Every structure is written in C-alpha cells, then in structure tokens.
Amino acid sequence: VIRAYPNFFIGGNVFYKMAIENYNATIKLIKDLAENARFFEIELDREMEFNAGQFVNLVFEEEGRKFVRPYSICSSPSIKKSLELTIGLVEGGEFTSPLWKKEEGDSVGVKGPMGGFCVKETFAKDLLFIGAGTGIAPLRGMIKDCIERGFKAKMYLLFGERHEDRIFFEDEFEGMMEEHENFKFLKILSKPGDNWEGSNGYVQDNVDKLGIEDFSNVRAYICGRNGMVDSVRSKLLEKGVLAGDIFVEKYG
Ligand SMILES: Cc1cc2nc3c(=O)[nH]c(=O)nc-3n(C[C@H](O)[C@H](O)[C@H](O)COP(=O)(O)OP(=O)(O)OC[C@H]3O[C@@H](n4cnc5c(N)ncnc54)[C@H](O)[C@@H]3O)c2cc1C
C-alpha cells in the first residue's frame, strides 16, 4: 500500500486507493457523546492504512441475521491499530438498535477502508468543513490530519446541530482554535435554548459569519444528511465556491 502524503505539500494527487480488507475488531471504549449519540473506539486485529475522511463497514451477526452499515472514521490515519467512530442511534434503526446493546469487549467485524471523501490534492486553498450531527465524524478526522501535517492556510469548521449538548467534540475544537490561529470553529444551533447567545438557524445561512473574504479560494467538504448537504452545496455555489472544489458525503 502506498502512503500518499509525501506529495501532500507539493501539489501531486495524493489520493491513492487503499486495499479494502476484512478485519476482526474489539470494542475498546463506548462513551456517550449526548443522548442517543455514542463514541466508539474499536481495536483492530492489525493495522489499517486509510486516508482521513474514509469510512468502514461495521458488520456483525446476531440470531442468524447479518447487520452491515457504513460509518466514517473520525480519528486521524496516524493511529492505525484502532478506529474512532461517532454514531447516532436511529429510532427503530435496523443496525443502530442492536449496536446499542453491544458492550466494551464485544467483537465486531470491520471492512474497509472505503470512500473518496478525503482532502485529496494540494493544500493551495483554504479549507471549509461543514457538518451537521454525526456528519462531523469524517471532518474531525480530516482536521486532525491536516493539523498533524502542519497545514498552514486557513481552516474553517461550521458545525450545526439542534441543541448545544449535541455539539460533539466541542472542547477539542475549541482547544484546536486556541492552539492554531489558522483554525476557526463556529457552532450553529437550529433550536437553541433561551440562554444561547451564539449563532442560530441552519448552517447554510451562517456561512457569512466565518469571515471568509474570497469564496473562490475555498475548497469545501460537507457531510450530513441529504437535505442539509444539498442546501449547503447550493449556498456555497451561490457564494462563489467552484463546483469542482465542493466535496460531499451523504449519510442518506
Ligand atoms: C458513507 C457513509 C458514512 C456514514 N457514516 C456515519 C457515521 O459516521 N455516523 C452515523 O451515525 N451514521 C453514519 N452513516 C449512516 C449509517 O450508515 C446508517 O444509515 C445509520 O446509522 C442508520 O442505520 P440504522 O440501520 O440504525 O437505521 P435504518 O434502519 O437504516 O433507518 C431507519 C430509518 O431512519 C432513517 N435514518 C437513517 N439514518 C438516519 C439518521 N442519521 N438520522 C435520522 N434518520 C435516519 C432512514 O432514512 C430510515 O427511514 C453513514 C452513511 C454513509 C452512506
């Protein structure tokens, strides 16, 4: 497997297809991020090479039924022996309902890595990451990766959710903002509480709050449910982001 990053700063096409393989994994850590949203750390039986932003299929069998669903890796590819995932429980969901019964120490199958939602090319432009809900997952992995690799241009993260307690990894993003002056994080709440003094509404209606001067110099990565992704994409095109500079991952 060729690791692409030596080209990262000199403008080559850095995205190489990683081999898709099956792994046996153990759930090492389960943490509640909010009501019905969990952070999972799963330990693989061997190292996995992947690009930040890719996803894996989680697989398990129960009572003769096989369950499979894709989940974005929210950790950096510098950690190869375990993967971090951010998963929302869907009411009556065929996969997430049995997944919620899993405990630390349980086994799960992993197939991957897959997908091309990655920071692929040269770091010539500023990066704009926009996510809603669990759509933050691949963006967190990409941002961590860019920071680890010393990305110097600007990086913006717009994270939308209904309530403040569902802004996952808030402390982490705030910390990154303090430490890296080229990283700006803004949270947007669509149903804020009475004491909320920050930005509200939908993410697409708040892109102007980031202070971006030239949208044609921005490469954007959007992740979330279909409707949100389409609305944000239209807004960014309207603002002047080039169509070829918009990359999306839709969760359905
Ligand atoms: C490439 C890719 C990466 C993904 N990464 C993640 C991830 O990192 N974290 C994550 O939580 N999910 C992610 N998903 C979505 C995930 O694969 C499942 O679709 C989701 O967990 C629901 O599975 P389920 O079987 O429990 O629900 P299902 O039984 O498949 O769905 C039940 C019903 O709920 C609706 N529904 C499905 N998902 C949601 C949702 N998120 N919110 C509200 N309603 C929903 C469906 O349309 C359906 O009507 C990703 C999807 C794709 C395609």
Side-chain angles (χ1 to χ4, degrees), residues 41-60:
E41 186 186 341
I42 55 174
E43 181 154 356
L44 304 171
D45 57 354
R46 61 193 190 282
E47 292 192 343
M48 179 192 282
E49 294 280 347
F50 64 97
N51 285 309
Q54 288 194 288
F55 67 89
V56 291
N57 272 347
L58 286 190
V59 187
F60 59 85

Side-chain angles (χ1 to χ4, degrees), residues 184-203:
K184 184 165 182 178
F185 162 55
L186 187 65
K187 52 194 180 192
I188 313 293
L189 303 184
S190 59
K191 293 199 174 134
D194 293 340
N195 299 327
W196 174 247
E197 288 175 359
S199 302
N200 60 41
Y202 292 114
V203 273

